[in-house]
């Protein structure tokens, strides 16, 4: 059941398939949007319907965020670290990798 206060956070996610969104309720609006940006980025990057199923860490990093997420596509799950920065008014997510080319 959806509580009246939950409608706003559900309405702003297009394809909602997260099995458990309780962890999102503890985040600020900016953090939620950053998590969603990571999910959308990873779906596009991998060409699969990955969905955030868990949040390991979400911390402010200067103007952006460092986020560790558990993502699942069907029965396949993975833990990934992302960076999220705001560029031209949009949140831009990227995988955080030690050997990043930039």
């Amino acid at each position: 059941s959806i509580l009246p206060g939950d409608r706003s956070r559900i309405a702003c996610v297009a394809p909602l398939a997260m099995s458990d969104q309780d962890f999102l309720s503890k985040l600020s609006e900016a953090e939620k949007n950053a998590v969603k940006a990571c999910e959308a980025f990873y779906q596009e990057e991998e060409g699969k319907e990955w969905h955030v199923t868990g949040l390991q860490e979400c911390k402010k990093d200067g103007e952006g965020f460092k986020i560790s997420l558990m993502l699942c596509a069907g029965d396949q799950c993975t833990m990934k670290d992302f960076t999220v920065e705001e560029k031209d008014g949009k949140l831009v997510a990227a995988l955080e990798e030690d050997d990043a080319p930039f």
Side-chain angles (χ1 to χ4, degrees):
S1 68
I2 298 172
L3 299 170
D6 288 344
R7 289 203 187 284
S8 59
R9 75 185 170 113
I10 290 174
C12 59
V13 183
L16 181 66
M18 292 186 195
S19 54
D20 176 17
Q21 285 219 293
D22 288 349
F23 65 88
L24 277 182
S25 66
K26 297 174 180 69
L27 300 180
S28 70
E29 208 52 43
E31 290 167 333
K32 283 182 207 174
N33 291 334
V35 167
K36 288 171 195 157
C38 294
E39 181 181 61
F41 165 80
Y42 200 65
Q43 286 176 351
E44 202 166 295
E45 185 84 355
E46 296 290 308
K48 274 190 193 170
E49 282 298 304
W50 289 97
H51 297 286
V52 175
T53 57
L55 176 66
Q56 184 83 15
E57 180 180 48
C58 181
K59 66 181 184 202
K60 197 92 171 92
D61 182 42
E63 289 301 300
F65 293 95
K66 283 191 184 293
I67 302 178
S68 294
L69 296 172
M70 173 68 77
L71 299 109
C72 295
D75 60 356
Q76 186 181 5
C77 292
T78 184
M79 182 69 86
K80 293 287 176 190
D81 296 325
F82 296 90
T83 56
V84 180
E85 295 172 353
E86 194 170 319
K87 291 183 184 160
D88 304 323
K90 285 195 299 230
L91 289 173
V92 180
L95 280 172
E96 184 177 67
E97 296 188 30
D98 300 334
D99 56 353
F102 41 82

